[in-house]
Amino acid sequence: MALNPRVKVRVKTAKGRTKSSAAWLRRQLNDPFVKEAKKLGYRSRAAFKIIEIDKAFRIFKKGAKIADIGAAPGGWSEIAVAKVGAGNVAAIDILDMKPIPGVAFAQHDFNDPEAAEFIKSQLNSAADAVICDIAPNTTGVSSLDHLQIMALVEQAYAFALEVLNIGGTFVCKVRQGGTETKLLAEMKKRFSRVSHFKPDSSRKESSETYVVAQGFKKT
């Protein structure tokens, strides 16, 4: 998905604003996906990422049961419910999230035992796909950032194994370089196909990519 770049906006470093925050604001103001998300009424630019992932891997089918973990502010959930229908999406996050019609939401850490029960009860079954766009705050130290994101990926993966239907799909954000060898090998045992995908809507300078594991198999 490609958008035409607009006129770039310069940001003066205001008193009290750090260089990093000014750089973030500059990226936001000049990001065509941020502008397009506002134009279309999406909650975040992340909506375009899941649209691209769905186009490439066809994870959203009418009536499919979707679990969105780490869902706030809801960019992925609003696309999911539009694709699969009201009542078929259950979302959780440690942060609160404004309601989305047709999406069941609870403020849970997905490591809490109640989280999996909430997903299953709201979907009235296991999930056909578990989607996760969560990521920790970066430190700027690449080795530490990788360890933090991998810890989250492993936790999200364990959650997916608990709530997925046979044949289901797991989508999760990782950092470039892919998942660690051990986890990737484990995924390949439990899923028929494991792919890495970087949407066009991901910022070019970002190290994020997504692992898409399809065809969940019970052991």
Side-chain angles (χ1 to χ4, degrees):
M1 177 181 291
L3 298 179
N4 293 327
R6 308 284 180 83
V7 177
K8 291 189 175 181
V9 178
R10 297 182 64 184
V11 177
K12 293 181 180 180
T13 303
K15 185 177 180 180
R17 180 182 293 147
T18 64
K19 289 183 178 179
S20 61
S21 66
W24 177 86
L25 180 57
R26 188 180 303 111
R27 287 196 301 270
Q28 289 294 101
L29 291 173
N30 291 316
D31 190 329
F33 288 98
V34 171
K35 296 173 184 177
E36 191 69 9
K38 289 181 179 178
K39 178 182 175 181
L40 296 174
Y42 293 153
R43 295 192 173 195
S44 72
R45 71 189 304 282
F48 296 110
K49 299 175 187 179
I50 196 62
I51 289 170
E52 289 185 71
I53 293 169
D54 181 51
K55 184 177 180 180
F57 298 96
R58 299 182 66 188
I59 59 175
F60 296 144
K61 296 178 176 130
K62 201 67 176 176
K65 306 292 186 179
I66 308 298
D68 186 359
I69 61 177
W76 280 25
S77 284
E78 64 182 346
I79 299 302
V81 73
K83 294 278 189 177
V84 303
N88 293 315
V89 180
I92 55 173
D93 198 294
I94 59 172
L95 302 175
D96 198 9
M97 186 175 84
K98 291 182 180 179
I100 298 174
V103 175
F105 173 76
Q107 198 168 350
H108 279 307
D109 183 328
F110 61 72
N111 289 310
D112 291 343
E114 298 90 349
E117 291 306 314
F118 170 78
I119 293 293
K120 291 177 182 177
S121 65
Q122 293 300 314
L123 297 179
N124 200 28
S125 72
D128 296 308
V130 173
I131 57 178
C132 180
D133 194 35
I134 193 171
N137 294 328
T138 57
T139 65
V141 181
S142 59
S143 57
L144 179 57
D145 289 341
H146 180 72
L147 289 174
Q148 289 181 328
I149 188 64
M150 283 311 305
L152 273 178
V153 173
E154 289 174 357
Q155 292 163 6
Y157 175 66
F159 183 89
L161 296 184
E162 188 174 353
V163 303
L164 270 179
N165 266 323
I166 294 174
T169 297
F170 173 57
V171 179
C172 191
K173 180 189 290 181
V174 295
R175 296 291 178 192
Q176 279 186 344
T179 52
E180 290 182 351
T181 304
K182 184 177 180 181
L183 181 57
L184 184 61
E186 169 65 18
M187 284 186 181
K188 288 181 177 178
K189 290 178 183 177
R190 303 298 300 271
F191 291 84
S192 300
R193 178 187 176 193
V194 179
S195 309
H196 284 91
F197 181 77
K198 185 173 178 68
D200 291 337
S201 49
S202 287
R203 292 190 174 102
K204 290 182 180 179
E205 69 273 15
S206 172
S207 62
E208 74 177 14
T209 186
Y210 292 85
V211 61
V212 182
Q214 297 173 286
F216 178 56
K217 300 177 285 187
K218 293 281 189 183
T219 57

